[in-house]
Amino acid sequence: MSTLRLEDLQQYSETLRTRLGEVMNVRFVEPRDRDEIQHYFRSLSTRSRYNRFFGAISELPKGLLQEFLEVGERDRFTIVATMMVDGFDNIVAEARYALNVGTATLEFGLSVDDRWQGHGIATALMNNLECRAAALRAEHMFGDTLRSNEAMVSLARKSGFGFVNHPDDWKLVRFEKEISVSPEDIPCANWRLAALSRQADSPSASA
């Protein structure tokens, strides 16, 4: 289990803005999101689902859906970005990340609703994930994407990631970045406070 204090997930909720100024709430997924997260993936275009999972699926299989709903189990986390649309709070993007304590690395993947692509949501999520990686004391973060996924390749490049060949699949490319932000310099307030709190509780602890 993660050493993050997960008794109150709401304390980690954050309000971000897209490049166009739209208000977006980012929070950990909760059990009540089961139907909504499944609806979100069903609503993605076939291409977007393929880019996210590197395969043709129409929805999350039952086991994978359950994994998406678990926060902190085996240091794996799912977050959702929601926006008010026509009076309803809708999931417009998601990201999942996993910490490997032994190698001090954080692996992540994300997707954005096709209708909301081009608003800067993915960029905002990438920046937020860097804060989370720093708070978890990860020294590197990385993701994998299809070589044909030009949007993700471009996003990673603009976000300062370097590229290497994927170790197992020629169709994929890996993008990675070193994380060297001290707790007091983490730009996201919630994660700066979380990191400083963990540092005070146990200065030598690993995430």
Side-chain angles (χ1 to χ4, degrees):
M1 285 290 292
S2 166
T3 55
L4 284 178
R5 296 168 178 170
L6 299 175
E7 297 85 1
D8 179 15
L9 295 179
Q10 288 300 320
Q11 68 177 309
Y12 298 107
S13 297
E14 300 165 274
T15 299
L16 307 179
R17 287 190 178 273
T18 70
R19 185 174 61 249
L20 302 180
E22 299 137 325
V23 176
M24 177 173 68
N25 184 53
V26 177
R27 61 174 174 81
F28 282 123
V29 73
E30 299 179 26
R32 63 183 173 88
D33 295 314
R34 176 180 293 272
D35 291 342
E36 185 64 23
I37 198 77
Q38 186 67 282
H39 174 73
Y40 167 82
F41 282 112
R42 287 172 178 162
S43 298
L44 291 179
S45 67
T46 300
R47 183 180 182 84
S48 289
R49 285 195 302 269
Y50 192 90
N51 283 339
R52 180 65 173 90
F53 298 105
F54 313 143
I57 66 171
S58 58
E59 64 178 20
L60 293 180
K62 183 177 181 180
L64 184 56
L65 174 59
Q66 183 58 39
E67 289 182 11
F68 263 77
L69 295 171
E70 296 171 350
V71 174
E73 293 293 333
R74 303 186 305 281
D75 283 320
R76 298 170 184 264
F77 306 85
T78 303
I79 58 175
V80 292
T82 65
M83 297 176 66
M84 293 299 296
V85 181
D86 297 328
F88 295 94
D89 200 29
N90 292 310
I91 295 175
V92 297
E94 58 77 32
R96 185 158 170 78
Y97 59 99
L99 176 72
N100 185 318
V101 176
T103 60
T105 57
L106 183 138
E107 180 180 5
F108 71 96
L110 61 84
S111 68
V112 176
D113 187 312
D114 292 79
R115 295 165 294 182
W116 290 93
Q117 292 175 14
H119 289 239
I121 292 174
T123 298
L125 282 181
M126 288 273 273
N127 293 336
N128 190 259
L129 286 169
E130 289 191 37
C131 291
R132 293 166 185 264
L136 289 169
R137 296 182 182 172
E139 297 174 2
H140 294 83
M141 61 185 296
F142 74 91
D144 298 328
T145 191
L146 292 164
R147 292 180 181 275
S148 59
N149 188 350
E150 296 179 0
M152 192 65 207
V153 170
S154 176
L155 172 63
R157 182 175 291 113
K158 290 178 181 177
S159 298
F161 286 77
F163 293 83
V164 297
N165 290 327
H166 191 277
D168 302 314
D169 192 335
W170 66 270
K171 297 189 300 298
L172 304 179
V173 64
R174 176 161 293 179
F175 47 95
E176 55 187 18
K177 186 175 187 178
E178 182 178 354
I179 303 298
S180 57
V181 182
S182 59
E184 59 271 17
D185 292 329
I186 295 174
C188 308
N190 282 5
W191 294 102
R192 180 169 63 250
L193 292 173
L196 291 172
S197 176
R198 290 177 57 251
Q199 186 180 61
D201 290 344
S202 179
S204 63
S206 59

